[in-house]
Amino acid sequence: MNYAEEIKRLKTEKNAVILAHYYQENEIQDIADYLGDSLNLARIAMNTDADIIVFCGVHFMAETAKILNPTKKVLLPVMKAGCLMADMITPASLKKYKEEHPTTRIITYVNSPASVKALSDCICTSTNAIKIINHYLDQGDSILYCPDQNLGKYAMKLGGKKFDVWEGCCPIHHHLDPNKIMNLKKEYPTAKVLVHPECQESIVKLADYAGSTKQLLDYAIQSEDNTFIIATEKGVIHAMERACPNKTFILASPTLSCKDMKYTTLKEVYEALKNETNEIVVEEEIAKSAKKALDEMLKLS
Ligand code: 13P
Ligand code: SF4
């Protein structure tokens, strides 16, 4: 079966839209109506007129889409596609922190379960984290940034003000070895190093530019340089090569591959759309509180 053709036909028949994160497999990126990072995809999901949103990404992304646009049917083609970082925080552990720090404002990375978002003051993504953290610090609040320690520490270094940071991380970015980049820099001395701030400080220090997936892509498009060493999940290389066919992109390490992002195949997208299976459901009370924190993010970014 030609899955790409069948998906196209079903999309029209059912008034569906396909959203895909940059970390998805190439074949998924190629059939997506919208390709984006966490923030762009959340905004697109919120504003779409489609009846069905097929979210090619991981669970927290589809859940966020459902919370922002609750009357739509949101389908996640592979239900087990989760996020290792999101699993590093639970509502029980955050509740305990809140009891011990009753006046601390909670800023939560979008890579988190809805039940954790529901306990938060504001959500952020890698695109707007610095801005949102600084907004709360500037009004004199004490804050906790959770669950990504690396983006938290990066924001602390940039802003020069101290705050609490949860000890979670994205293992794919966190375990990148700086020697890999040092060696590539020797091999490609004119290459610019583009880094996602989910990487540790030892990696961010080597960056010519650090930013969210979309910010890295935009940097590559606008840059006069021709060669780039990429320190984020490998899927973004496909988007970069599509946007800049004459430039060279080198993945910093083959370990930069998120297995959860790679579960989705064309067959699974087709089956989810055809049968309208794998629908995301979020408990009403949780959705209501999580939406308040997401709306705060959208207001501030
Ligand atoms: P962005 O999409 O905000 O760059 O985040 C990267 C990520 O790890 C998504 O899971
Ligand atoms: Fe989660 Fe890391 Fe995979 Fe992103 S790349 S979905 S943060 S495990």
Side-chain angles (χ1 to χ4, degrees):
M1 180 184 306
N2 184 335
Y3 287 117
E5 278 307 312
E6 282 302 302
I7 291 167
K8 212 163 141 189
R9 184 183 63 74
L10 285 169
K11 260 188 341 183
T12 317
E13 189 182 301
K14 295 176 181 246
N15 188 27
V17 70
I18 299 188
L19 272 53
H21 191 272
Y22 290 118
Y23 296 171
Q24 291 285 290
E25 290 285 11
N26 301 356
E27 63 176 22
I28 302 295
Q29 295 193 31
D30 293 344
I31 54 129
D33 296 297
Y34 298 97
L35 190 59
D37 68 0
S38 312
L39 183 62
N40 303 127
L41 294 177
R43 284 210 170 105
I44 292 161
M46 188 174 69
N47 295 319
T48 183
D49 292 329
D51 295 315
I52 299 177
I53 299 170
V54 183
F55 211 117
C56 301
V58 293
H59 193 272
F60 76 81
M61 296 179 173
E63 203 176 48
T64 301
K66 180 68 185 175
I67 294 166
L68 289 171
N69 208 339
T71 62
K72 307 295 177 186
K73 192 177 256 190
V74 179
L75 309 177
L76 179 67
V78 181
M79 270 303 188
K80 68 174 179 183
C83 168
L84 296 168
M85 186 199 295
D87 293 344
M88 292 183 189
I89 187 162
T90 62
S93 55
L94 183 55
K95 261 187 201 148
K96 185 164 178 287
Y97 175 93
K98 285 177 60 147
E99 276 158 25
E100 289 161 2
H101 305 81
T103 58
T104 300
R105 310 294 294 271
I106 312 295
I107 319 291
T108 299
Y109 199 32
V110 71
N111 300 39
S112 54
S115 53
V116 166
K117 289 187 178 77
L119 297 170
S120 309
D121 292 284
C122 187
I123 309 305
C124 68
T125 75
S126 52
T127 302
N128 55 26
I130 312 286
K131 193 172 174 186
I132 288 175
I133 288 171
N134 287 339
H135 167 84
Y136 283 91
L137 292 175
D138 289 348
Q139 36 178 62
D141 290 327
S142 61
I143 66 163
L144 165 72
Y145 180 73
C146 63
D148 183 23
Q149 57 174 289
N150 292 316
L151 192 40
K153 288 173 190 166
Y154 175 62
M156 220 183 306
K157 192 142 195 248
L158 286 185
K161 284 187 193 156
K162 288 233 173 291
F163 53 87
D164 284 357
V165 168
W166 202 264
E167 280 302 301
C169 70
C170 163
I172 289 111
H173 289 89
H174 187 78
H175 295 300
L176 177 59
D177 177 0
N179 289 318
K180 298 262 183 198
I181 297 185
M182 306 286 258
N183 292 339
L184 284 169
K185 272 171 75 112
K186 278 185 209 140
E187 204 178 324
Y188 303 92
T190 61
K192 291 284 177 270
V193 179
L194 309 188
V195 170
H196 198 285
E198 284 175 17
C199 294
Q200 293 197 59
E201 194 191 343
S202 56
I203 302 286
V204 179
K205 260 191 350 216
L206 302 173
D208 290 289
Y209 179 71
S212 75
T213 320
K214 170 83 167 72
Q215 288 168 334
L216 299 184
L217 174 64
D218 289 345
Y219 183 95
I221 292 170
Q222 284 152 22
S223 170
E224 309 232 304
D225 294 289
N226 274 307
T227 310
F228 302 87
I229 297 164
I230 306 300
T232 189
E233 213 279 346
K234 70 177 189 183
V236 75
I237 302 252
H238 182 62
M240 287 173 169
E241 286 174 344
R242 261 183 16 171
C244 315
N246 299 321
K247 295 184 180 179
T248 303
F249 299 97
I250 303 141
L251 188 65
S253 164
T255 57
L256 287 163
S257 178
C258 173
K259 81 170 181 348
D260 287 87
M261 281 285 185
K262 306 302 184 206
Y263 285 143
T264 319
T265 64
L266 287 178
K267 181 169 181 282
E268 263 124 359
V269 174
Y270 165 75
E271 279 168 4
L273 184 53
K274 177 170 170 273
N275 304 317
E276 298 185 27
T277 44
N278 292 2
E279 184 175 354
I280 298 288
V281 180
V282 187
E283 198 196 300
E284 210 180 308
E285 275 307 299
I286 288 180
K288 214 170 109 193
S289 304
K291 183 162 187 309
K292 261 170 77 180
L294 279 161
D295 285 345
E296 188 64 12
M297 167 183 86
L298 295 167
K299 195 180 90 193
L300 293 176
S301 56

